[in-house]
Amino acid sequence: MTAFRLPLLLGALFLSTGIYAQVFGGNPPSLKWQQLNTDTARIIFPTGLDSQAQFVAGIVHRLARTTRSTIGPHQRKINVVLQNQTTIANGYVSLAPFRSEFQLTPEQNSFELGSLPWAKMLAIHEYRHVQQYNNFRVGLSGGFYYLFGEGGQAFANSLSVPNWFWEGDAVYQETLVSDQGRGRQPWFFNSYRALWAGDKRYSWMKLRNGSFRDYVPDHYPLGYMLIAYGRERYGDDFWRKVGRDAAAFHGLFYPLQGAVRRYAGVSFNQFRRDAFDYFCLPLQPPAGTAIPTVEAFARARKHFFANEEFPQFLGTDSILYMRSSYKRIPAFVIRDLGSGAETRLRTRSISLDNYFSYRNGRIVYSAYETDPRWGWRDYGVIRLLNLATGEDKRLTVRSRYFAPDISEDGRTIVAVQEATDGSCQLHLLNATDGSLMRPIPNPDGLFYTYPKFYTGDNAIITAVRNRSGEMSLALVDLHDGGTRYLLPFSYQTIGFPSVRADTIWFTASRNDQDRVYGLAGGQLFRVWLPHGDPRTGQYQFQEGPGGQATWNTFTAVGFLADTAGSGSFRLQPIAEGDWVKAPPVQRIDSLEKGPAGLLGHIAPGHYPATTYPLASHLINFHSWRPYINDPDYQLSLVSDNILNTLETQVYGVYNRNEQYKQVGVEATYGGLYPFLDAGWDYTFDRNAFYRIQKVFWNESETRAGFSVPLNWASHLHFTSLQFGSNIIYNQRHYTGLYKDSFNSRGFAYVDPYISFVHQSQQAQQQVAPRMAQILNLSYSNAVTAFEAHQFLASGFLYLPGLAYTHSLLLAAAFQQRDRLGNARFSNNFPFSRGYSAENFYRMWRVSANYQLPLFYPDWGFGNMVYFTRIRANLFYDHTHAMDFYINGATYNGMFRSFGSEVYFDTKWWNQLSLSFGIRYSHLLDPDFEGRGSDQWELILPLNILSQGYSGHAVKPID
């Protein structure tokens, strides 16, 4: 007999709108908070960040009055939290609750996000998301808000307004109101220029949903091109009308596409083709132009190749660079220039970027580490890799260092120190032990990027940003900190300098291109590299021995390292007075109108700062959240405070199997080192069979406990250790025929647990980490009234498979409970697949799984569902169970099964990632409840509910 079971999960697709970087209980209680309370926003910030907070408050206040009309008339006050403990540059705005968080540490790469002061950049970008949310509570989205709160609006908005609109509109605003913005940055357009140059003609759904095997740009540049073209072609109010109609669901299906047709007079398909042509056609080379080598390589490769970054010469015959691909994590690689053979040296430690510096057999780079308890606190530590010995040594601890370089004699390291107060300095470190030798004064308040030792190791070359965000190349004297600027300041971004003798090489954005330039003897040059002039940027140039050169170029198949022999590149002199060029607007003339350049005219606010107590607004109910996982149907009223230290929910549950009803309340406080938990629930009409008769009872539980979540990212691994315990008081009240036959005495029990995870880094195509260990232990024990206990241990070991993307998973579990029958605890034993999960006295299980990807379809239909990957798991489970009959005889049972699982990794509505699968289990032994030997199951996610769209300025670390 074949059974087919379909666990129902209606809630799986409800209120599922994306995952974003909120951190619960992420700051220590010693961090003191202040606030600026205005009519537009409440800016909440750590003590000492008054100047950044005043700038943010002034910008938000001005934008609310100057750019709101292009998205809608409504304005609601927003809470903005400034986070200064993390080294990740990021930001988001969310509903449920309505708040924004700015992560204030800038990144070194000025090409990627521009060179504007980071707090200002976050303010002009993220506040546009605030304006969007404020004006998208209309029509059906407004109805969802009134039914389900802010989470309901987030759900409706995510269904009707695609993520490219949110980000494209925000990037347009940052470009409009500033003198820079990503809409003027060549790096920002590299992605689509690479696709066009590489002749990669991807479908609309593939551009929206991405791929496991091909490079697909994210929704930021896609959204900007569509938004900018719409503003340029149809006017400043075009997207206000389209966004309003889409959020209101004027046209229940594909509301935004219908609104575009309504106001543009063309189909959405035609609109996006016109937008792509507007940006693509001016880049087409003249007929007969030779195809650059890198573009020809990209056209010849069907799928993503690799990123080859920061190439540097080891000698005359080899280069060292960082290599990463979708199959393998980043590693240092040596390429023999004669044979092309590559040698993989060592895996790079966990890092925020792939930057490193090499001198005389030593590699120095900045690695990423986390504070184990406080999720908002992380670090940039210096590591030194010795090529001769293979030792990768950590030199600094709990530091905030970036972009290090090592001196010619190998004794000194210079690194950029970005402090939590927003200041920036160059630090000279001892290369032996990482100790601070001395900081370099920074009287001009510069932001340093990519410092390099200059000739004789007595000075530093560094690309710098001034307080306005303009950039120059600076020569910093190591003795007195004196700074000489080698170029006029401008909004042309500069980065990746390198030094050879007295010549300085660097990449700069100029005339809508990222190209290599040189400085020698006071003369500035444009460097014309061989192998053709690509449509994308050229970066990380380094001159080697004998005049050789290496650099990389962005393509549709990755950053490709290139080399050339002596005399192969041409130098074109540039007069210093001709250096400064205003960043181009890509033929989007609307960027020159209205509030264009407004940012430079906004003064910081002058609002009084007051203390923001940790206990402020602890209760902040914002959403009704349904959660359906058959047989349980739950509706919760959810509260989260603005600092994200207290989660509270009041809930009701209905269980379809037992037909019981439950109400309860629970809360978790994360502002102390341990999380503190408390809750209460009352269940009506619980029931079970006893000697062929059904017994009914009501039940209440009161609980309190703690947990300690510890998470480390260090060197090559991620580690998590969580432990805690609750004490629960359970009281049953039996009803009906048997109300006097059972003991209704209440009892208390504890449930201590520990969970440990240790895993390696994971590449994009790997279905699981190549190495990981997981151990879970839990013990439930009655401590009053009577004796009852249960112990569960489970472990998992991930090992490499036959290919880099495969994984072998071995698992084991053991559970034992008491024989007394006074109380039964929840059964979480992972029983053999396919069988009914019984709760025997003693059980152990071993399991083997082999996981592998099968196909990468990159196919979907109707802009509804898109399949990115199909993967399989072959498994064997062996469970042994022991129990006792009523007469005391021993029962021993064997429950073995084998089978396969096929999983589908998908995107729904071009935004929501969702994986589901089908499992076939063949039972080798009789099932305790009489199931047939062939079992089919549909595997659905347990809970993918989230709380709203997140507007990220930068993706967080993977």
Side-chain angles (χ1 to χ4, degrees), residues 44-166:
I44 303 168
F45 59 96
T47 300
L49 296 184
D50 302 68
S51 60
Q52 291 98 318
Q54 293 287 2
F55 266 116
V56 170
I59 292 169
V60 165
H61 186 80
R62 188 71 174 274
L63 290 177
R65 286 149 180 79
T66 54
T67 65
R68 186 178 66 203
S69 61
T70 58
I71 196 67
H74 301 293
Q75 178 177 314
R76 298 180 183 90
K77 189 172 180 177
I78 179 74
N79 292 288
V80 179
V81 183
L82 306 186
Q83 300 286 358
N84 69 334
Q85 300 294 305
T86 178
T87 60
I88 300 173
N90 205 349
Y92 74 86
V93 178
S94 74
L95 292 174
F98 187 36
R99 69 175 164 205
S100 178
E101 291 189 285
F102 293 2
Q103 298 166 218
L104 293 179
T105 303
E107 66 173 39
Q108 288 283 296
N109 188 346
S110 302
F111 298 105
E112 185 171 9
L113 294 171
S115 59
L116 295 174
W118 183 234
K120 295 183 178 181
M121 174 69 168
L122 286 170
I124 59 178
H125 180 97
E126 300 300 336
Y127 191 69
R128 188 57 169 184
H129 294 315
V130 175
Q131 294 175 320
Q132 293 161 347
Y133 273 131
N134 283 341
N135 288 280
F136 287 171
R137 189 189 295 178
V138 293
L140 190 58
S141 293
F144 269 85
Y145 169 79
Y146 291 110
L147 284 174
F148 298 105
E150 292 176 2
Q153 180 190 341
F155 166 65
N157 285 170
S158 69
L159 288 183
S160 58
V161 183
N163 55 9
W164 62 257
F165 179 98
W166 299 86

Side-chain angles (χ1 to χ4, degrees), residues 539-588:
Y539 307 97
Q540 303 155 18
F541 181 92
Q542 187 187 67
E543 183 184 3
Q548 294 173 290
T550 183
W551 68 96
N552 75 10
T553 305
F554 187 83
T555 76
V557 295
F559 279 100
L560 297 184
D562 205 348
T563 57
S566 175
S568 57
F569 52 88
R570 180 169 58 90
L571 303 180
Q572 177 186 349
I574 299 175
E576 182 177 334
D578 294 335
W579 171 250
V580 176
K581 302 284 185 182
V585 295
Q586 310 288 336
R587 299 196 304 147
I588 304 299

Side-chain angles (χ1 to χ4, degrees), residues 605-816:
H606 297 283
Y607 302 100
T610 59
T611 299
Y612 187 82
L614 292 177
S616 294
H617 306 92
L618 282 178
I619 302 300
N620 178 36
F621 287 107
H622 53 74
S623 302
W624 288 97
R625 185 172 302 155
Y627 171 48
I628 304 172
N629 183 21
D630 191 68
D632 291 321
Y633 296 72
Q634 179 173 321
L635 182 64
S636 300
L637 178 60
V638 182
S639 167
D640 294 276
N641 69 321
I642 300 305
L643 287 181
N644 210 14
T645 57
L646 181 66
E647 295 179 345
T648 308
Q649 64 173 324
V650 180
Y651 58 88
V653 180
Y654 174 73
N655 180 279
R656 188 175 59 84
N657 283 355
E658 292 189 35
Q659 298 184 348
Y660 69 71
K661 286 76 67 179
Q662 183 183 76
V663 294
V665 60
E666 61 185 20
T668 300
Y669 182 70
L672 302 175
Y673 199 88
F675 287 180
L676 302 180
D677 306 289
W680 170 87
D681 62 63
Y682 193 90
T683 307
F684 302 87
D685 302 325
R686 287 215 63 185
N687 60 87
F689 280 99
Y690 177 74
R691 296 180 179 177
I692 318 179
Q693 296 293 326
K694 183 168 282 193
V695 179
F696 292 88
W697 73 92
N698 298 331
E699 181 177 274
S700 68
E701 279 198 343
T702 304
R703 54 194 171 275
F706 77 96
S707 60
V708 179
L710 303 176
N711 297 279
W712 294 267
S714 180
H715 194 21
L716 301 175
H717 298 94
F718 299 96
T719 305
S720 171
L721 175 63
Q722 300 188 42
F723 60 90
S725 182
N726 291 281
I727 182 167
I728 302 99
Y729 183 79
N730 180 284
Q731 176 69 62
R732 294 183 178 184
H733 304 279
Y734 290 92
T735 62
L737 182 64
Y738 286 88
K739 67 178 182 179
D740 298 322
S741 301
F742 293 93
N743 188 348
S744 295
R745 183 172 47 172
F747 73 100
Y749 66 94
V750 294
D751 62 351
Y753 68 90
I754 185 170
S755 176
F756 173 79
V757 179
H758 183 69
Q759 72 166 76
S760 61
Q761 302 174 68
Q762 184 175 345
Q764 178 170 304
Q765 288 186 2
Q766 292 173 348
V767 296
R770 287 178 62 78
M771 291 295 296
Q773 305 85 39
I774 302 173
L775 177 64
N776 298 302
L777 303 174
S778 64
Y779 180 69
S780 298
N781 183 52
V783 293
T784 64
F786 49 75
E787 182 180 352
H789 62 262
Q790 179 174 283
F791 172 75
L792 171 63
S794 62
F796 303 86
L797 176 63
Y798 287 85
L799 298 170
L802 297 177
Y804 280 105
T805 57
H806 296 193
S807 176
L808 173 63
L809 170 61
L810 304 178
F814 173 82
Q815 179 172 291
Q816 181 169 317

Side-chain angles (χ1 to χ4, degrees), residues 128-263:
R128 188 57 169 184
H129 294 315
V130 175
Q131 294 175 320
Q132 293 161 347
Y133 273 131
N134 283 341
N135 288 280
F136 287 171
R137 189 189 295 178
V138 293
L140 190 58
S141 293
F144 269 85
Y145 169 79
Y146 291 110
L147 284 174
F148 298 105
E150 292 176 2
Q153 180 190 341
F155 166 65
N157 285 170
S158 69
L159 288 183
S160 58
V161 183
N163 55 9
W164 62 257
F165 179 98
W166 299 86
E167 294 304 347
D169 186 47
V171 172
Y172 184 91
Q173 171 153 297
E174 81 186 39
T175 309
L176 171 66
V177 302
S178 73
D179 292 312
Q180 195 182 74
R182 277 171 282 185
R184 292 184 173 95
Q185 292 292 96
W187 179 291
F188 187 66
F189 295 97
N190 270 345
S191 54
Y192 275 90
R193 291 176 179 178
L195 294 189
W196 296 330
D199 200 26
K200 308 297 184 186
R201 304 182 185 276
Y202 298 148
S203 69
W204 172 250
M205 288 198 71
K206 184 166 183 174
L207 292 176
R208 292 286 286 111
N209 295 289
S211 172
F212 279 98
R213 61 178 177 173
D214 297 317
Y215 169 73
V216 177
D218 63 26
H219 51 282
Y220 284 75
L222 171 65
Y224 176 77
M225 289 189 292
L226 297 178
I227 293 292
Y229 174 74
R231 291 277 289 257
E232 182 71 15
R233 177 71 174 81
Y234 300 104
D236 287 344
D237 65 344
F238 174 70
W239 290 112
R240 174 177 59 81
K241 295 182 290 187
V242 169
R244 178 197 61 208
D245 284 11
F249 285 85
H250 289 171
L252 186 60
F253 300 102
Y254 309 112
L256 185 131
Q257 290 87 330
V260 168
R261 176 185 288 275
R262 191 175 305 120
Y263 296 110

Side-chain angles (χ1 to χ4, degrees), residues 138-443:
V138 293
L140 190 58
S141 293
F144 269 85
Y145 169 79
Y146 291 110
L147 284 174
F148 298 105
E150 292 176 2
Q153 180 190 341
F155 166 65
N157 285 170
S158 69
L159 288 183
S160 58
V161 183
N163 55 9
W164 62 257
F165 179 98
W166 299 86
E167 294 304 347
D169 186 47
V171 172
Y172 184 91
Q173 171 153 297
E174 81 186 39
T175 309
L176 171 66
V177 302
S178 73
D179 292 312
Q180 195 182 74
R182 277 171 282 185
R184 292 184 173 95
Q185 292 292 96
W187 179 291
F188 187 66
F189 295 97
N190 270 345
S191 54
Y192 275 90
R193 291 176 179 178
L195 294 189
W196 296 330
D199 200 26
K200 308 297 184 186
R201 304 182 185 276
Y202 298 148
S203 69
W204 172 250
M205 288 198 71
K206 184 166 183 174
L207 292 176
R208 292 286 286 111
N209 295 289
S211 172
F212 279 98
R213 61 178 177 173
D214 297 317
Y215 169 73
V216 177
D218 63 26
H219 51 282
Y220 284 75
L222 171 65
Y224 176 77
M225 289 189 292
L226 297 178
I227 293 292
Y229 174 74
R231 291 277 289 257
E232 182 71 15
R233 177 71 174 81
Y234 300 104
D236 287 344
D237 65 344
F238 174 70
W239 290 112
R240 174 177 59 81
K241 295 182 290 187
V242 169
R244 178 197 61 208
D245 284 11
F249 285 85
H250 289 171
L252 186 60
F253 300 102
Y254 309 112
L256 185 131
Q257 290 87 330
V260 168
R261 176 185 288 275
R262 191 175 305 120
Y263 296 110
V266 297
S267 69
F268 181 72
N269 290 347
Q270 184 61 51
F271 173 85
R272 70 171 187 254
R273 285 195 295 267
D274 292 344
F276 282 174
D277 287 345
Y278 192 83
F279 284 91
C280 174
L281 293 180
L283 300 174
Q284 297 297 324
T289 303
I291 298 176
T293 302
V294 290
E295 294 181 5
F297 181 87
R299 293 186 182 193
R301 299 285 305 191
K302 189 175 181 180
H303 302 299
F304 182 83
F305 177 64
N307 283 323
E308 302 170 338
E309 299 179 80
F310 302 100
Q312 299 171 51
F313 282 97
L314 293 181
T316 59
D317 57 356
S318 60
I319 59 171
L320 169 72
Y321 64 90
M322 186 76 72
R323 192 180 198 276
S324 59
S325 71
Y326 291 171
K327 291 184 178 181
R328 305 194 67 174
I329 59 179
F332 298 101
V333 170
I334 294 177
R335 177 187 296 169
D336 186 287
L337 296 179
S339 65
E342 294 187 341
T343 303
R344 188 179 178 93
L345 289 179
R346 189 181 180 92
T347 298
R348 183 215 63 192
S349 293
I350 300 165
S351 302
L352 294 181
D353 59 30
N354 286 329
Y355 182 80
F356 72 95
S357 183
Y358 168 80
R359 287 275 182 91
N360 295 327
R362 296 180 181 180
I363 294 171
V364 63
Y365 66 103
S366 175
Y368 175 80
E369 293 188 358
T370 60
D371 184 282
R373 167 59 184 89
W374 307 112
W376 275 124
R377 181 180 286 174
D378 46 57
Y379 309 102
V381 302
I382 302 300
R383 300 194 69 93
L384 185 68
L385 172 59
N386 188 315
L387 265 61
T389 65
E391 180 188 18
D392 189 351
K393 179 182 178 182
R394 183 175 69 173
L395 295 182
T396 66
V397 179
R398 300 171 69 90
S399 57
R400 295 171 59 91
Y401 288 132
F402 304 92
D405 187 41
I406 190 167
S407 62
E408 186 69 30
D409 61 13
R411 297 180 179 178
T412 309
I413 292 171
V414 62
V416 179
Q417 198 252 6
E418 300 183 40
T420 56
D421 63 1
S423 64
C424 183
Q425 283 187 314
L426 294 177
H427 279 193
L428 295 180
L429 309 174
N430 187 308
T432 301
D433 58 13
S435 60
L436 177 63
M437 298 168 63
R438 67 177 186 274
I440 307 301
N442 182 11

